[in-house]
Amino acid sequence: MSTNQLQKIYKGTIIDSSKNGTFRLLKGILGISTEGKILFREKEEELGNITAKYNVQKEQIDDLERNFLIPGFVDTHIHGPQYKFMGTGLDLPLLKWLEKYTFPTESKFSNEDLAKNVYGKVIDQTLKNGTTTACYFATIHLTASKIFSDLVIQKGQRALIGKVSMDRNSPDFYVEKTQDSLDQNEEFIKYVKEKKNDLVEPIVTPRFVPTCSPQMMKGLGELAAKYNIAIQSHISENVNEVEWVKSLHPDEDGYAAVYDKYGLLNNRTIMAHGIYLTDKEIELFKQRNAAVAHCPNSNFSLSSGVLHLKKLLRNGIKVGFGTDVSGGYSPSMMDCIRQAIIASKATMFNTKNPDDELSYQDAFYFATLGGASALGLDSKTGNFDVGKDFDACIVSPFVSSANFHVFDDDDDIEIFQKFLFSGDDRNILKVFVKGRQVI
Ligand code: GUN
Ligand code: FE
């Protein structure tokens, strides 16, 4: 079977963002190949010519009617194991939260049954919410991380998965020896790569500077370079964390400089939070073309602070959005969009600069194509450009259980906004990753 053989045509309202971030609403048709790729994207008038050209059968045309297509969401920062306690333990700031809730819970993932149970559920739950791509932290456990990658492949989500590394300032029940961690990381990287699944990649994952020794960071930087893979961690999320890093590395010129010194800051790096990055560090991010994962729910929930998103954007920093489950209490990227908009308004109240507010169109971009770009996956996913994989959600504004109503005089843009702000997974009828229906 030829790779570009037409399998299906979707006809109706198709909403996404262009490469330069412009919001697009097309009344048109999208052709999907048997390989799950987008073959064509045309205005509706082209349907006659296309059916003639491809010898299309009636059953191959899916008329969306008043439903619409959006790209699947891209969650650039989420901790799979933390789904276990999502929604609880949000009474403490970061460092105390890690100690009291996070490390004890993550340490339990030495248990393979628990890993299967929780990882299966977090994948199902994010898919149900329309997340077709997720950038996951696992735990320090090699076996559980392998189980995670097997489940992601089985369930068909696109993902980067990292076995977490931590060899200092960690409780004795949840810590690794440096060389063991590096060896197990290499084994995990090879394990995922050998699956030859084009949806899932390993990602090098130092937890953050306080829990990673210089030898660990150096070794991880070398692994990322050796296998040419992406890197994720946390940076400048919390004032006490930033102070701690300063005291651990007094000779370095800031938090970002520590990662940079060990080869962990490059164009495949995505760092969560970045609230307290200095101008100099933002400049270093720009020079290295590293990305920031903006996780507003987590930033509010752990009382970390408010990211000045537009400042990063004005400085040309790549940004994606993340749920940061379970610093963030929602697995939904629609929640993330809403909280990012609220965060931008909070910033604007302070700066009095109207340009600091984030529009819903831009927020939608960051939750889809912006996230894909931040992860280096924008040649494959994030919007409906021809040649990309069909990673998509079919959205219905009309399900009877929905949390909002559509009225006769609502236009398409109004219906889309109602979905974005007042809708939820009940409106997401079907989810596709590379053309495969996963929900
Ligand atoms: N910094 C180090 N580890 C974590 C984590 O698990 N969650 C968040 N939000 N920040 C971190
Ligand atoms: Fe996180």
Side-chain angles (χ1 to χ4, degrees), residues 77-79 82 97 137 233-234 237 272-273 295 298 324-325 327:
H77 185 83
I78 170 165
H79 298 258
Q82 294 178 18
W97 173 82
F137 279 57
S233 191
H234 298 91
E237 172 179 7
H273 308 292
C295 307
S298 171
D324 196 20
V325 164

Side-chain angles (χ1 to χ4, degrees), residues 159-409:
L160 294 112
I161 303 182
K163 190 205 92 66
V164 171
S165 297
M166 43 199 285
D167 68 342
R168 66 170 174 179
N169 297 313
S170 307
D172 53 10
F173 58 84
Y174 193 51
V175 65
E176 305 167 286
K177 293 209 165 62
T178 313
Q179 194 55 47
D180 291 351
S181 179
L182 294 172
D183 292 346
Q184 291 185 5
N185 255 291
E186 186 152 20
E187 187 179 333
F188 180 70
I189 292 165
K190 285 183 182 161
Y191 181 83
V192 177
K193 281 188 169 278
E194 278 162 15
K195 298 270 170 182
K196 299 209 185 316
N197 179 293
D198 60 359
L199 298 179
V200 179
E201 300 174 34
I203 179 166
V204 162
T205 306
R207 176 164 220 121
F208 67 158
V209 167
T211 62
C212 295
S213 68
Q215 303 90 293
M216 175 76 97
M217 288 191 275
K218 181 168 176 284
L220 291 174
E222 286 165 1
L223 278 179
K226 178 173 173 187
Y227 291 96
N228 191 25
I229 60 176
I231 298 159
Q232 64 179 346
S233 191
H234 298 91
I235 195 165
S236 303
E237 172 179 7
N238 167 292
V239 173
N240 292 332
E241 171 210 11
V242 173
E243 284 305 310
W244 194 11
V245 170
K246 230 180 243 167
S247 72
L248 289 167
H249 297 271
D251 298 335
E252 299 314 323
D253 196 7
Y255 201 157
V258 180
Y259 286 126
D260 192 47
K261 178 174 179 180
Y262 298 109
L264 293 166
L265 201 69
N266 62 41
N267 64 356
R268 287 299 314 274
T269 300
I270 181 146
M271 290 284 171
H273 308 292
I275 300 170
Y276 300 102
L277 290 174
T278 62
D279 289 350
K280 210 167 168 183
E281 289 179 304
I282 292 172
E283 180 55 34
L284 182 58
F285 262 69
K286 174 71 186 148
Q287 277 171 17
R288 298 289 181 263
N289 199 18
V292 168
H294 178 29
C295 307
N297 186 319
S298 171
N299 294 341
F300 287 125
S301 296
L302 298 181
S303 306
S304 301
V306 180
L307 176 75
H308 194 159
L309 172 66
K310 285 294 189 86
K311 181 175 174 186
L312 291 186
L313 298 176
R314 287 195 279 268
N315 281 282
I317 307 298
K318 291 184 295 191
V319 174
F321 281 2
T323 59
D324 196 20
V325 164
S326 68
Y329 56 72
S330 171
S332 161
M333 288 300 294
M334 291 166 65
D335 168 87
C336 184
I337 285 172
R338 295 166 199 166
Q339 303 229 11
I341 290 171
I342 295 172
S344 76
K345 288 177 194 283
T347 301
M348 187 268 291
F349 295 152
N350 269 323
T351 62
K352 312 271 189 269
N353 178 358
D355 189 46
D356 280 340
E357 255 195 273
L358 182 68
S359 66
Y360 76 84
Q361 296 96 328
D362 286 352
F364 176 64
Y365 164 80
F366 289 112
T368 54
L369 184 57
S373 304
L375 296 176
L377 297 176
D378 50 319
S379 64
K380 295 182 178 167
T381 190
N383 69 358
F384 296 128
D385 279 354
V386 172
K388 290 199 188 188
D389 292 351
F390 183 63
D391 290 4
C393 306
I394 296 183
V395 174
S396 172
F398 301 102
V399 288
S400 59
S401 62
N403 214 14
F404 63 93
H405 285 95
V406 174
F407 296 94
D408 287 346
D409 59 342

Side-chain angles (χ1 to χ4, degrees), residues 118-136:
V118 177
Y119 287 150
K121 288 190 165 74
V122 73
I123 298 162
D124 288 345
Q125 198 63 22
T126 51
L127 283 174
K128 189 156 93 81
N129 278 282
T131 299
T132 50
T133 300
C135 187
Y136 285 116

